[in-house]
Amino acid sequence: FNRGIFKTFGNSQIEDFWLEFYCNTTNISKSRSEIHTSGYVWRYVRASMSLAGLLPPLCDEGSMLLDGGYIDNLTVAHMKSLGADTIFAIDVSSLDDDTPQQFGDSLSGFWAALNRWNPFSAYPNPPTLSEIQARLAYVSSVDALERAKTTPGCLYMRPPIDAYGTLDFAKFDEIYQVGYAYGKEFMAKLRDQGELRGVVGAWDETDEARGLRRTMAPRRASI
């Protein structure tokens, strides 16, 4: 896994990117979120992808780093603190099954196993231990996500990827096409509603009045 990421980034440093970049990780040694804006790209990208149980934490200056999504999977608050006026926040997290459970105050392991193998059962399957642990890990991130949706200047985007799981890496090309099509439609809708004015470019009012094409001038504050 490390070699695969290194082949992509080599010895590149985050601070040398021509576009500003950061990634976040969860420091399980100090129980806090970390934001990385310098250092070897491959190391911190690797750390930010390290899911507990699948990959060992990445050691960094004595601390152990895991996926930043355990604390905040959509870092809108941090980007706001950097002075961004407009943020395109794209949520690609998988959804948990929220089917109401009705197995009562106790649970029989025999019944749970039988129910899981019974295709005619009308009862939903109780979550497994690993599923419960995964949900617990992202509780804080879900709360941060809900706050991000109501942040002023945040354009929240949720592509139709609910059918895909967190580990569906083999379906990358398919997911890419779904996201690309959604992005084109989302931006076209914003353009038609006039909400892109001053966000991704400046309109030439004179040309607009004449019915001519618009000119796009990049703004530093746009993300």
Side-chain angles (χ1 to χ4, degrees), residues 39-52:
Y40 286 110
V41 181
W42 81 265
R43 296 192 75 250
Y44 293 115
V45 167
R46 191 282 209 193
S48 70
M49 298 170 65
S50 300
L51 296 175

Side-chain angles (χ1 to χ4, degrees), residues 144-194:
L145 172 60
E146 293 304 314
R147 290 198 302 271
K149 293 178 182 179
T150 58
T151 300
C154 176
L155 299 174
Y156 175 78
M157 302 171 67
R158 172 74 186 180
I161 55 164
D162 296 346
Y164 303 99
T166 302
L167 302 179
D168 279 341
F169 298 117
K171 298 179 180 179
F172 173 83
D173 292 333
E174 183 180 341
I175 297 172
Y176 169 86
Q177 292 299 331
V178 171
Y180 182 69
Y182 171 82
K184 288 175 62 177
E185 181 182 348
F186 186 89
M187 297 298 288
K189 187 180 298 183
L190 289 182
R191 181 196 60 206
D192 295 341
Q193 296 172 351

